[in-house]
Structure formats: C-alpha cells, structure tokens
C-alpha cells in the first residue's frame, strides 16, 4: 500500500489550512471565472475544495498507487469541475465537483492499476471498485457462505454475471507477473513463464505440409484455368479471384451483355474448372460424383 511522503503531508497541510468559502463567496468567484476568465477566482475555488480531493483520494489507497498521484488526478478533476460549473443553478460547488474528482481518480486507477485494461464498461467499472466492499459486507458474520454464493449475491447487486465477478476477483487477488519471470521452484536457470505459453501456430511438419499442398493446389488451378476462353477467364477473375468481386451488372456493362448472360458464362466456366480439376487429381473425386 502506498504511504504518505513529506510532499504529500505538506500538500495536505496546505489544503487543510485553506479557508472555507461561504455560499455567496463561492457564487461570486464562480461568476468571475465564467464571465471574466479570472484565473485567481478559479484557483481560490479549487484551493478551498482541496479537502474534498484529499477525502476522495483516500478512498482509493488500497489499490497500491502513489497517494500523490491520486491527489494530482483528483485536482485535475477539480479544475475540470471549476471550468464547467454553472453557478446560476444554485448548487453548491462541492456537490458538483465530487463527481468530476471521483471520475478522474477512478480513470487513473483503471489505467495504472494493471497493464491489462479493465473496467471498460460502466458495469465492469462498478464491479472493479465495489467488489471488495460488497464481498466483505456479505461475508461479515456468515462463515458458512461459499465463494459461489458470495459471487451470486455480488452479481445480483451489481447486475453483472457471476463469471464476471469470478474473473474480477481473480484479477484483484493477483498482481501482474512478467512473462520473463522464472517459474516458482525452477531456480535461476529454470524456465520462465513465457516458455510455458502454448503456441497457436501449426507445428513445423504441418506448416511444411500446408506449404507443399498449397503450391500443388495452386498449380492444379493454374492448369485448370487454361481451359477457359478469354471472356470466361475475365469473368472468373473478376468474380472469384479478387478480394472485391465485381457484380453481374458491372461485368455485363463492361462486356456489353446482360447480367443473366454473365451468370450463364460464369456457371459454364466453373463447370470447366470442376471437370479439369477432377481429371487432374483423385483429391477432387468428391467434386466429380
């Protein structure tokens, strides 16, 4: 858990000594900032509410991030609130600023708590920040509860699936581990975590087989294409051998024929290719039956 530094304590001391603002002072400063862009007015509003930043940042200490960084992120949210505050709504600035400060700190925690980004949806964010608190409250005095029953109650409370709760609980319980770190018990010269990752690539013999078979199939296709006349070849290339195939209407306009005639020529060309491939190799026997 992050601890306070001398700089943190000094910032807290300064913030706690800042004078409170009465409602009429707050309103006057807010109007001065909004109407006249008075930087001094904005700074006075912000300094008077640094206590709020400290109080909200303290709630996120258990995520192990530097407290000074939490304060800075909260101050950014405070300045954003000061810039957007509408004094004519007659709402106290602290009520409005709380949302911006909390949102700024939460975003910082989600970005820096782990190298794997979490809390990408509002439901996931709520789960990330409330799981520990809800689990402690549910389990308090109820030692007979199983993990699954706790997960189910949390899922119902936060409107998420039990699988999401289980996954988030596992993430919160374990820190990030480098893939280069040695596997426990293997010693300094043992395997690292990256050595144990299963590759999804084909095995070397499968890659060689695929390469040879691919070249063989391409050669069969090249020979089969020689059976087509010029117009049939143009249709097959445009319709079957390009990433963005042409439509029947486009080919018909290009060749000066109807789209129905293009369809007939295409079918005839495909039959020629099928016959050529059936003659070339038994591998296409199923096409010939």
């Amino acid at each position: 858990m992050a601890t306070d530094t001398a700089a943190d304590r000094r910032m807290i001391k300064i913030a706690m000594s800042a004078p409170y603002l009465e409602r009429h002072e707050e309103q006057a400063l807010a109007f001065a900032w909004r109407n006249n862009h008075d930087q001094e007015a904005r700074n006075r509003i912000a300094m008077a509410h640094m206590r709020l930043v400290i109080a909200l940042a303290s709630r996120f200490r258990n995520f192990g991030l530097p407290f000074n960084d939490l304060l800075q992120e909260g101050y950014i949210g405070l300045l954003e609130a000061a810039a957007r505050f509408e004094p004519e709504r007659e709402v106290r600035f602290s009520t409005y600023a709380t949302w911006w400060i909390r949102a700024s700190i939460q975003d910082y925690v989600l970005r820096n708590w782990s190298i794997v980004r979490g809390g990408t949806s509002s439901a996931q964010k709520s789960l990330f920040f409330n799981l520990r608190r809800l689990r402690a409250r549910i389990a308090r005095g109820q030692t007979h509860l199983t993990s699954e029953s706790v997960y189910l109650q949390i899922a119902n409370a936060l409107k998420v699936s039990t699988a999401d709760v289980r996954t988030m609980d596992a993430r919160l319980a374990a820190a990030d581990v480098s893939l280069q770190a040695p596997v426990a018990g293997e010693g300094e010269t043992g395997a690292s975590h990256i050595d144990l990752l299963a590759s999804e690539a084909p095995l070397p013999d499968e890659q060689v087989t695929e390469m040879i078979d691919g070249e063989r199939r391409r050669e069969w296709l090249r020979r089969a294409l020689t059976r087509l006349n010029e117009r049939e070849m143009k249709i097959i290339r445009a319709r079957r051998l390009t990433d963005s195939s042409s439509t029947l209407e486009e080919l018909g306009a290009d060749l000066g024929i109807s789209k129905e005639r293009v369809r007939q020529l295409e079918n005839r060309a495909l039959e020629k290719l099928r016959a050529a491939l059936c003659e070339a190799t038994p591998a296409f026997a199923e096409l010939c039956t």
Side-chain angles (χ1 to χ4, degrees):
M1 180 178 293
T3 58
D4 291 349
T5 64
D8 295 338
R9 291 190 293 271
R10 186 164 53 251
M11 181 185 299
I12 293 173
K13 183 178 179 180
I14 294 173
M16 298 303 290
S17 63
Y20 287 101
L21 294 177
E22 297 294 338
R23 176 184 285 270
H24 69 278
E25 294 179 300
E26 181 180 289
Q27 291 276 313
L29 291 172
F31 277 115
W33 159 248
R34 195 189 66 175
N35 298 335
N36 304 319
H37 297 287
D38 187 337
Q39 294 285 345
E40 179 61 28
R42 188 199 65 172
N43 293 340
R44 282 187 60 190
I45 293 176
M47 183 54 65
H49 290 85
M50 273 302 295
R51 295 180 184 84
L52 183 59
V53 173
I54 296 170
L56 292 173
S58 298
R59 300 180 185 179
F60 297 89
R61 285 187 169 189
N62 60 338
F63 290 99
L65 298 172
F67 187 60
N68 186 54
D69 289 349
L70 295 175
L71 290 177
Q72 290 182 12
E73 292 297 322
Y75 187 66
I76 292 174
L78 179 63
L79 293 180
E80 186 69 22
R84 295 173 178 266
F85 184 56
E86 298 177 1
E88 65 273 9
R89 292 183 180 272
E90 298 186 357
V91 175
R92 290 306 298 262
F93 178 75
S94 58
T95 302
Y96 179 75
T98 296
W99 188 92
W100 284 98
I101 297 169
R102 184 187 295 114
S104 183
I105 295 174
Q106 286 182 343
D107 185 63
Y108 169 76
V109 172
L110 288 172
R111 283 187 284 109
N112 293 276
W113 180 80
S114 170
I115 59 175
V116 180
R117 181 65 190 256
T120 52
S121 67
S122 58
Q124 286 288 312
K125 184 181 294 186
S126 177
L127 177 59
F128 180 86
F129 288 109
N130 293 294
L131 188 148
R132 289 171 173 168
R133 177 181 57 82
L134 287 176
R135 183 176 56 186
R137 189 180 70 185
I138 293 170
R140 188 178 300 124
Q142 303 185 57
T143 56
H144 64 282
L145 287 177
T146 64
S147 295
E148 286 303 315
S149 62
V150 173
Y151 291 158
L152 180 59
Q153 292 188 51
I154 294 174
N156 291 335
L158 298 179
K159 302 297 186 296
V160 296
S161 67
T162 53
D164 286 343
V165 177
R166 191 180 303 110
T167 300
M168 186 65 73
D169 190 38
R171 287 195 59 201
L172 291 172
D176 293 337
V177 177
S178 171
L179 291 176
Q180 304 299 331
V183 178
E186 294 292 336
E188 293 183 0
T189 59
S192 59
H193 287 280
I194 197 171
D195 297 324
L196 304 181
L197 291 179
S199 173
E200 297 181 358
L203 296 174
D205 58 333
E206 294 175 339
Q207 295 181 33
V208 173
T209 300
E210 179 62 28
M211 180 178 66
I212 294 174
D213 290 346
E215 181 57 36
R216 186 181 294 121
R217 287 191 291 267
R218 285 190 291 272
E219 179 58 28
W220 290 336
L221 180 59
R222 280 194 292 269
R223 292 178 182 176
L225 287 172
T226 61
R227 300 283 189 93
L228 306 181
N229 60 41
E230 182 179 351
R231 187 162 60 172
E232 291 169 342
M233 175 69 78
K234 183 172 184 177
I235 292 173
I236 290 298
R237 287 191 181 281
R239 294 279 293 162
R240 304 286 177 167
L241 301 180
T242 59
D243 292 332
S244 55
S245 61
S246 301
T247 64
L248 295 174
E249 291 87 349
E250 290 171 343
L251 282 171
D254 187 29
L255 296 172
I257 56 179
S258 68
K259 67 177 183 180
E260 177 59 24
R261 182 55 181 161
V262 174
R263 186 187 63 78
Q264 293 173 357
L265 291 173
E266 180 184 16
N267 289 339
R268 187 174 72 182
L270 291 174
E271 284 297 322
K272 285 184 178 181
L273 292 176
R274 176 175 172 273
L277 291 172
C278 289
E279 293 174 10
T281 173
F284 291 93
E286 293 183 0
L287 296 175
C288 306
T289 58

